Amino acid sequence: MKRFRRHGHELNRERIKQDLFQFNKTVEHGFPHQPSALAYCSSLQLMAIGSRSGAFKIYGAPEVEIMGLHEENAAVTQIHFLPEPGQLVTLLDDNSLHLWKVRKSPDGLSVLKEESHFNLKGQPGAPPSVTTITVVLPHSSGDVLFLGTEGGCVFVVEHPSLREQEERTITHEAVLQKVPDDYQSKRSLGSVEALEENPRNPHQILIGYSRGLIILWDLQTSEATHQFLGDLLESVTWQRDGRQIISSHSDGSYCQWPVSNNDRSPQPLENKVPYGPFPCKAIPKILWLTTKQRTPFIIFKGGMPRASYGDRHCISVLHGSKQIAFDFTSRVIDFFVVDEGESKSDCDEPSALLVLAEEELVAIDLKTPSWPVIQSPYLIPLHCSAITCSHHVSNIPVKLWERIIAAGNKQTSHYSTKPWPIDGGYSTVSEPPQRDLLLTGHEDGTVRFWDASGVCLKPLYKLCTVGVFVTDADHNDNLNQSGEDEWPPLRKVGSFDPYSDDPRLGIQKIHLCKYSSHLTVAGTAGQVLVLELNDEAADQEVACTLVDILQDQDTFKWKGHERLNPREEPVHFSPGFQPFVLVQCQPPAVVTSLALHSEWKLVTFGTSHGFGLYDYQQKRTVVVRCTLHPSDQLALEGPLSRVKSIKKSLRHSFRRIRGTRASGRKRAIPGNNAAKVQEANARMDREALNEMELAPVQRRIEARSAEDSFTGFVRSLYFADSFVRDGSYHGPSLWAGTNGGTIFAYAITIPSVERRMEEPVTATQVKEIQLMHRAPVVGIFILDGRGILLPEPLEAAHDLSKSPDMHGNHMLLVISEEQFKIFTLPKVSTKNKLKLTAIDGSRVRKVSVASFNSNRVEDYSENGLLVLTNLGDIQVISVPTLRSQVRYECIRKEDVSGIASCVFTKSGQGFYLISPSEFERFSVSSKWVVEPRCIIDIDEGVGTRASQQKAVQDGAVVKANSQESEDSHQMLSGMTKSEDDVRKTAEIMEHALLNDERVLLEIQSTLESDSALTDRLSFGHLDRNSKNSTGIQTPKQRMINGD
């Protein structure tokens, strides 16, 4: 009977797990890595961006995004929307053409589906260049596609069958027969560089060849009606009325040509070099847009003076006497103009210019006279400065949320008030049930606040810590700084700025208390700032407190970077978070752990040398503990001893081997006694192994030596109100865990509120625990008498959690890289443990507390530990039973930097970097899922803006499925085929990105793994090419730094 009851219990538990846990990779946040193509659909108000990984996305209004992924691992070089709404073609660098269509999935959402693909084949024996596609022109009839090639031919392909019409091919021989004889004898045509349809006559197309010849080809008569002969050609475009064409050339010039029946070979009306007379770079693309005021907009890429500004990435806009060269910090891929004019009008009405650069997307308002930048609601460059750390805060109070938004709005006054011009489609996502913040620390000393509640990661506020210190960096970010009065009239645009003048400013740890609005950030040079939110600007001096972590140890010689010097005069701080406390660790090593308790007004910080406790209300140091082991030679001697220590260890190993052999020869026992002794020793070894009682699936773990380097590296810090002295009285305590498996416990005495400013806070060490295997301590938590994790500071005071049980016995949960272990308190004795490394060989890399709500039972939830291992697996561990509930493969184990960048949320979600500019979002909870769900009304075609105003009731992305039927639960567990395809597509896209070694190297250049942090910064070595760096860089270090 017990067996049957147990079987029924297991079945019931499996059902509960299905209600609680479900793994999904949901959406990518940020800017696509290595974009390579751009397209725009004016009728549907959509744009598409392709990347070198073979993926592309269609974007519309905020939260409207649909992804397509080619099976071929080839870069997307061109994207073109077709005249039929919802269809587009993509060209890959393997010369394959793919036809895509937006379709409706069974649940009514829009998805991309590949209809067919086509490879252009040449004659047998012909070189590949003959059929290498350079230009694609979808004809307005929707029946055919024109393909220009390197060989100078124009092929015609039927749509939608993608079948070549060989009889309609426009060969270069046929063109040469139609051009003047004097041109035939002088030069060849070259490759096809441009194909443009006459906007007023669909039977005529312009064909531009690289050697400078442009012909107007009549599709009905198959003849060249006009010839235009210029210099080496880059691009051609029509004026809207079809009476003139504009060509751009490789010498930085553009020409304006008339198109009339009177002159079949006209001379240019205008030949101009905008930035001459000195040699200029080529103009790869140009647009000529007329207006009702008869003053055209001339917009072109490149054309800058080659000698002085040849390294600039510019888009120039000319309108009458006004001319500005918008200067981007990364290479320009492509651009387009949003036109508000009617299709049948003879005039253009350009309203916005959208430029896709290699690292960002910038929109410029052409209606406002000053041409300001339009703030983008998505595709924000997260990596405007390299991301160094992340911190997530769930369920932000409304008041704090509004104050952060208000401070952020004051930073965006230089943006245009014009709404985002790409507004096609509409989202079916309901309002998020809570407000979530994602904070990212950056290499330039900034902390950026993002709205992570929904599908779009929206920027809210930027904190800059540079102003506190004396550096060469310019912390007054003036994106409008320009030399518009000079020549050429440059104006810097965009926010991508990968260069940091001082890498010591880099942010390494962030902690925000959402109840007190206190924020603490710690950096690369041992600086710890405590900030408070202020709605008004202020001029104040930030007092600095030096904390000697080594406590005057004479044996240590710091050979690393110097500390940052604070400004002595008052500093002006804008509304937002303003620093009022600065703690400087000595030596100025990178801060490896950080914790804040705003109720006690205490902050604790750890480095590779020890940790300190600071009272930021009285602005005094409470306690400092040096955790360096006497054998930490690398820390004591500095980074240059790394090579010496490796040689020393190798010599020691060889000597030990030789000594063992020699001693074995010296102790040789004559006769049969030697065999008996060896047999006895072997028998004793077997008995000792048997006595260890290892489980069958467990592997033996060797204890780590106390002499291993970096044992004093502080990995975790934790505040708790618990029983640390005896079982009768509880009080504030501080817990610190090191890389050598040591846990320090301090009892803290805090004066009463009335005497808080008069009497000092004191801390006394009461416990020191040494783990047997000396594995690094990744996390420390305390459970109350009910076995529930203690709430965050001020959480119970704000009635957002139940008050902890302070009557029962508390338990200490220690999470090392190898195992989870629960101890009783105040007497530290082992109560329960879970061996992780011994079972599957994995090691814990990240751990966080999460709450999992049932998607069927409204009031049922379970708390657990979200664990990420070095194998990239996500596990949920129950507390306090320490049982593994579920396990999912999330990140590739080779993606070390992706694992290092992972951050969890309190609701069972997470983020990690799949490229330097993109976060992948995932969810382990079956209730909280954030994913794009959008509809593009293809049937309506033009007029989707009106359809966006629909009140959509179905399907929320951020959903709280509280009471679902069994059928709906089964539908959630077993997805439809289309949903499954979307999931696979997302996984394949991430796999395609991570298969590129360049992507992995770029991610590694922005993030620090624990070992890399220790090697490079913790022990006095800063391997950056800066004036303050010392030491020699290895090739591996240069690879990690991205140098």
Side-chain angles (χ1 to χ4, degrees):
M1 291 298 295
K2 289 183 179 179
R3 185 186 307 168
F4 290 112
R5 284 201 301 269
R6 183 178 180 183
H7 181 66
H9 174 75
E10 291 178 352
L11 289 177
N12 185 49
R13 181 59 192 167
E14 289 301 319
R15 294 193 191 98
I16 295 176
K17 286 183 181 180
Q18 293 178 2
D19 296 340
L20 294 173
F21 312 114
Q22 182 179 349
F23 181 77
N24 293 294
K25 290 185 179 180
T26 54
V27 66
E28 294 82 30
H29 296 301
F31 186 77
H33 182 63
Q34 293 182 334
S36 54
L38 176 69
Y40 170 62
C41 178
S42 58
S43 61
L44 295 176
Q45 285 296 302
L46 301 172
M47 70 175 176
I49 296 178
S51 66
R52 298 183 192 174
S53 66
F56 72 98
K57 278 188 177 182
I58 294 178
Y59 298 92
E63 299 188 347
V64 174
E65 59 179 70
I66 308 175
M67 187 181 73
L69 184 65
H70 299 87
E71 294 181 358
E72 298 82 0
N73 189 17
V76 181
T77 57
Q78 294 184 41
I79 305 176
H80 299 272
F81 283 95
L82 301 182
E84 184 175 344
Q87 293 194 15
L88 66 161
V89 292
T90 57
L91 177 66
L92 306 186
D93 64 355
D94 63 358
N95 208 44
S96 61
L97 198 69
H98 300 257
L99 175 63
W100 297 80
K101 187 172 184 179
V102 177
R103 293 186 175 273
K104 288 289 182 67
S105 64
D107 54 358
L109 302 178
S110 296
V111 294
L112 268 171
K113 182 177 176 59
E114 183 176 355
E115 299 291 314
S116 57
H117 65 274
F118 169 77
N119 288 88
L120 188 61
K121 299 179 181 179
Q123 297 294 331
S129 61
V130 173
T131 56
T132 300
I133 302 173
T134 56
V135 188
V136 178
L137 171 64
H139 195 262
S140 60
S141 64
D143 298 332
V144 293
L145 302 172
F146 293 94
L147 308 179
T149 64
E150 286 187 4
C153 297
V154 177
F155 295 89
V156 183
V157 176
E158 288 183 357
H159 171 263
S161 63
L162 294 188
R163 186 179 63 86
E164 180 185 352
Q165 296 182 351
E166 298 181 3
E167 67 280 2
R168 298 183 62 183
T169 300
I170 305 173
T171 63
H172 60 280
E173 292 86 359
V175 172
L176 285 174
Q177 293 176 3
K178 308 297 182 180
V179 299
D181 297 336
D182 56 347
Y183 181 83
Q184 296 182 36
S185 60
K186 289 183 179 180
R187 62 178 76 180
S188 62
L189 294 178
S191 61
V192 178
E193 291 294 330
L195 289 173
E196 292 290 335
E197 181 182 340
N198 189 335
R200 294 298 178 226
N201 186 356
H203 301 296
Q204 293 180 340
I205 61 172
L206 277 175
I207 305 176
Y209 297 91
S210 61
R211 295 299 178 89
L213 176 66
I214 306 170
I215 65 168
L216 182 60
W217 188 264
D218 191 300
L219 298 175
Q220 292 179 319
T221 62
S222 297
E223 291 186 354
T225 61
H226 293 72
Q227 301 89 31
F228 312 89
L229 185 57
D231 295 323
L232 298 179
L233 183 68
E234 292 288 333
S235 71
V236 176
T237 184
W238 284 93
Q239 285 189 10
R240 193 181 184 102
D241 56 8
R243 297 175 182 175
Q244 292 182 4
I245 64 171
I246 296 89
S247 61
S248 64
H249 303 273
S250 60
D251 61 353
S253 66
Y254 66 83
C255 297
Q256 189 176 1
W257 309 81
V259 179
S260 65
N261 295 328
N262 299 327
D263 190 354
R264 302 292 181 172
S265 300
Q267 294 298 313
L269 298 175
E270 182 184 21
N271 187 349
K272 185 175 181 180
V273 182
Y275 297 107
F278 300 105
C280 296
K281 299 195 71 176
I283 298 179
K285 181 176 180 178
I286 189 170
L287 296 179
W288 185 294
L289 305 170
T290 59
T291 61
K292 294 180 180 179
Q293 293 77 21
R294 298 186 179 277
T295 304
F297 275 89
I298 306 173
I299 304 174
F300 59 87
K301 169 186 171 183
M304 302 301 292
R306 186 177 297 274
S308 303
Y309 299 94
D311 58 342
R312 299 296 184 99
H313 313 289
C314 294
I315 295 288
S316 298
V317 180
L318 287 72
H319 182 60
S321 60
K322 185 177 181 180
Q323 179 173 347
I324 290 180
F326 294 100
D327 187 12
F328 297 84
T329 54
S330 59
R331 184 173 63 91
V332 174
I333 304 297
D334 201 355
F335 68 92
F336 65 84
V337 173
V338 177
D339 188 1
E340 293 182 350
E342 297 181 0
S343 58
K344 296 182 179 181
S345 173
D346 289 337
C347 296
D348 301 289
E349 288 298 328
S351 61
L353 167 67
L354 276 85
V355 182
L356 175 66
E358 202 166 36
E359 305 292 350
E360 61 187 327
L361 178 74
V362 179
I364 298 170
D365 180 8
L366 297 179
K367 286 289 189 180
T368 305
S370 60
W371 295 345
V373 173
I374 304 172
Q375 189 172 17
S376 175
Y378 49 78
L379 292 176
I380 312 294
L382 305 177
H383 63 316
C384 47
S385 176
I387 297 176
T388 51
C389 65
S390 303
H391 176 67
H392 188 275
V393 187
S394 301
N395 203 9
I396 301 295
V398 177
K399 186 176 181 181
L400 174 60
W401 186 264
E402 292 175 347
R403 294 178 67 189
I404 292 175
I405 291 177
N409 289 337
K410 296 177 182 179
Q411 297 177 338
T412 59
S413 58
H414 60 281
Y415 285 111
S416 170
T417 57
K418 180 182 176 64
W420 184 244
I422 307 299
D423 56 359
Y426 59 94
S427 174
T428 65
V429 179
S430 64
E431 287 296 321
Q434 63 183 30
R435 296 160 297 276
D436 292 347
L437 272 180
L438 178 66
L439 284 71
T440 55
H442 297 264
E443 192 180 41
D444 61 354
T446 59
V447 178
R448 297 173 189 264
F449 291 64
W450 307 88
D451 178 2
S453 310
V455 175
C456 292
L457 200 63
K458 304 173 186 176
L460 298 180
Y461 168 74
K462 184 180 77 169
L463 165 68
C464 187
T465 64
V466 183
V468 181
F469 306 100
V470 180
T471 66
D472 296 332
D474 179 16
H475 64 282
N476 295 318
D477 292 338
N478 183 11
L479 296 181
N480 292 324
Q481 60 183 356
S482 61
E484 297 175 22
D485 296 334
E486 302 175 358
W487 189 259
L490 296 172
R491 179 193 293 182
K492 182 181 177 182
V493 290
S495 58
F496 177 72
D497 186 8
Y499 305 107
S500 175
D501 292 330
D502 195 336
R504 296 177 297 171
L505 294 167
I507 305 298
Q508 298 296 336
K509 296 293 176 182
I510 306 171
H511 190 104
L512 172 66
C513 177
K514 61 185 178 183
Y515 305 109
S516 64
S517 303
H518 282 175
L519 170 70
T520 178
V521 297
T524 301
Q527 71 272 25
V528 180
L529 283 167
V530 183
L531 309 95
E532 60 183 350
L533 187 58
N534 193 343
D535 298 330
E536 302 294 333
D539 294 303
Q540 61 188 29
E541 183 178 346
V542 183
C544 178
T545 303
L546 290 177
V547 177
D548 184 11
I549 301 293
L550 296 177
Q551 298 174 312
D552 300 325
Q553 289 191 17
D554 298 332
T555 57
F556 183 86
K557 295 181 180 179
W558 176 252
K559 299 180 181 179
H561 50 262
E562 297 179 355
R563 69 182 181 92
L564 289 165
N565 295 317
R567 295 183 183 272
E568 298 179 356
E569 70 278 4
V571 181
H572 178 76
F573 297 105
S574 303
F577 284 95
Q578 300 173 354
F580 64 95
V581 165
L582 170 61
V583 180
Q584 178 62 57
C585 300
Q586 284 290 96
V590 61
V591 177
T592 58
S593 55
L594 184 69
L596 174 74
H597 201 296
S598 53
E599 184 178 2
W600 301 340
K601 303 295 188 293
L602 298 176
V603 62
T604 180
F605 43 86
T607 69
S608 54
H609 309 118
F611 61 91
L613 178 63
Y614 187 82
D615 178 3
Y616 63 82
Q617 185 170 0
Q618 293 187 7
K619 297 183 179 180
R620 59 178 296 273
T621 305
V622 178
V623 68
V624 177
R625 174 62 185 260
C626 179
T627 57
L628 280 177
H629 193 274
S631 62
D632 281 341
Q633 295 299 321
L634 186 59
L636 296 175
E637 298 176 11
L640 296 179
S641 65
R642 165 58 70 90
V643 178
K644 297 180 181 178
S645 63
I646 293 176
K647 292 181 179 179
K648 181 179 178 180
S649 62
L650 289 174
R651 285 198 301 267
H652 179 70
S653 300
F654 283 118
R655 288 172 182 171
R656 185 174 57 187
I657 294 172
R658 288 198 300 267
T660 303
R661 293 174 179 173
S663 61
R665 289 194 297 268
K666 291 178 182 179
R667 291 194 299 267
I669 302 175
N672 295 329
N673 291 335
K676 292 180 180 179
V677 171
Q678 293 177 0
E679 183 180 351
N681 289 336
R683 185 172 64 253
M684 291 175 62
D685 290 341
R686 289 194 299 269
E687 291 175 357
L689 285 174
N690 293 333
E691 289 176 0
M692 293 179 68
E693 296 181 356
L694 290 177
V697 296
Q698 294 181 358
R699 63 185 71 187
R700 190 177 177 183
I701 304 299
E702 297 293 338
R704 305 188 187 196
S705 171
E707 298 182 358
D708 289 345
S709 297
F710 316 126
T711 56
F713 188 109
V714 179
R715 292 284 294 269
S716 57
L717 292 165
Y718 181 68
F719 284 112
D721 185 356
S722 185
F723 302 90
V724 290
R725 295 183 184 270
D726 54 54
S728 304
Y729 302 98
H730 62 86
S733 62
L734 169 65
W735 299 78
T738 70
N739 212 48
T742 306
I743 299 102
F744 302 95
Y746 282 78
I748 305 174
T749 303
I750 301 177
S752 60
V753 178
E754 296 79 11
R755 306 186 63 82
R756 182 65 175 84
M757 291 299 297
E758 301 173 4
E759 298 180 2
V761 177
T762 60
T764 306
Q765 183 177 344
V766 292
K767 298 184 187 303
E768 182 174 338
I769 307 169
Q770 179 62 59
L771 299 181
M772 182 182 299
H773 295 302
R774 302 181 184 275
V777 179
V778 180
I780 301 174
F781 301 97
I782 289 182
L783 288 67
D784 67 4
R786 297 188 296 265
I788 300 175
L789 294 161
L790 295 182
E792 295 181 0
L794 295 175
E795 187 175 8
H798 286 75
D799 297 328
L800 295 175
S801 69
K802 294 181 179 180
S803 298
D805 182 4
M806 308 304 290
H807 301 288
N809 294 326
H810 283 197
M811 293 176 285
L812 171 66
L813 171 58
V814 177
I815 304 166
S816 70
E817 283 190 354
E818 298 179 0
Q819 64 182 7
F820 301 76
K821 204 165 189 178
I822 289 182
F823 301 91
T824 59
L825 286 179
K827 182 181 179 181
V828 179
S829 59
T830 304
K831 185 175 182 180
N832 192 11
K833 64 181 177 181
L834 170 65
K835 296 181 179 179
L836 192 69
T837 307
I839 295 175
D840 57 13
S842 61
R843 295 181 183 273
V844 177
R845 285 291 179 260
K846 301 280 184 176
V847 63
S848 179
V849 179
S851 177
F852 299 92
N853 297 80
S854 173
N855 63 357
R856 290 207 300 174
V857 182
E858 180 68 25
D859 298 329
Y860 184 78
S861 65
E862 291 184 7
N863 292 328
L865 296 175
L866 264 177
V867 180
L868 174 66
T869 70
N870 64 327
L871 302 180
D873 296 336
I874 297 287
Q875 297 190 37
V876 178
I877 308 295
S878 63
V879 177
T881 57
L882 295 186
R883 294 179 181 175
S884 179
Q885 301 299 306
V886 289
R887 177 175 179 174
Y888 304 106
E889 294 181 0
C890 181
I891 310 174
R892 296 197 320 163
K893 63 180 180 180
E894 297 84 4
D895 185 10
V896 178
S897 297
I899 295 173
S901 66
C902 183
V903 57
F904 292 119
T905 76
K906 298 293 183 183
S907 59
Q909 301 180 67
F911 304 81
Y912 69 93
L913 287 172
I914 57 174
S915 74
S917 59
E918 286 177 291
F919 272 117
E920 176 74 57
R921 187 170 190 151
F922 64 89
S923 174
V924 187
S925 171
S926 61
K927 183 173 184 178
W928 304 114
V929 181
V930 177
E931 61 183 354
R933 295 169 64 89
C934 55
I935 295 176
I936 298 174
D937 255 325
I938 304 302
D939 297 335
E940 296 183 14
V942 183
T944 55
R945 299 189 186 188
S947 66
Q948 294 171 30
Q949 309 300 325
K950 292 182 179 179
V952 182
Q953 303 296 335
D954 57 333
V957 173
V958 183
K959 55 187 177 182
N961 300 329
S962 55
Q963 296 180 347
E964 293 187 359
S965 63
E966 183 69 26
D967 294 338
S968 63
H969 168 67
Q970 291 176 356
M971 182 182 68
L972 183 63
S973 301
M975 298 178 297
T976 62
K977 183 176 180 181
S978 63
E979 291 173 327
D980 191 41
D981 291 341
V982 174
R983 296 275 188 270
K984 290 180 179 178
T985 302
E987 295 176 3
I988 294 172
M989 177 183 179
E990 179 195 352
H991 181 73
L993 276 173
L994 294 178
N995 267 341
D996 192 343
E997 293 299 327
R998 292 173 298 179
V999 180
L1000 297 177
L1001 293 182
E1002 288 191 48
I1003 303 175
Q1004 284 180 322
S1005 70
T1006 62
L1007 290 164
E1008 307 295 340
S1009 63
D1010 291 334
S1011 60
L1013 275 173
T1014 309
D1015 295 346
R1016 294 171 49 219
L1017 300 171
S1018 300
F1019 296 112
H1021 185 51
L1022 180 67
D1023 43 27
R1024 292 278 188 187
N1025 293 331
S1026 65
K1027 296 179 181 179
N1028 298 313
S1029 63
T1030 61
I1032 302 173
Q1033 288 183 312
T1034 65
K1036 180 179 179 182
Q1037 289 169 335
R1038 288 194 293 269
M1039 178 189 71
I1040 293 176
N1041 292 332
D1043 293 341

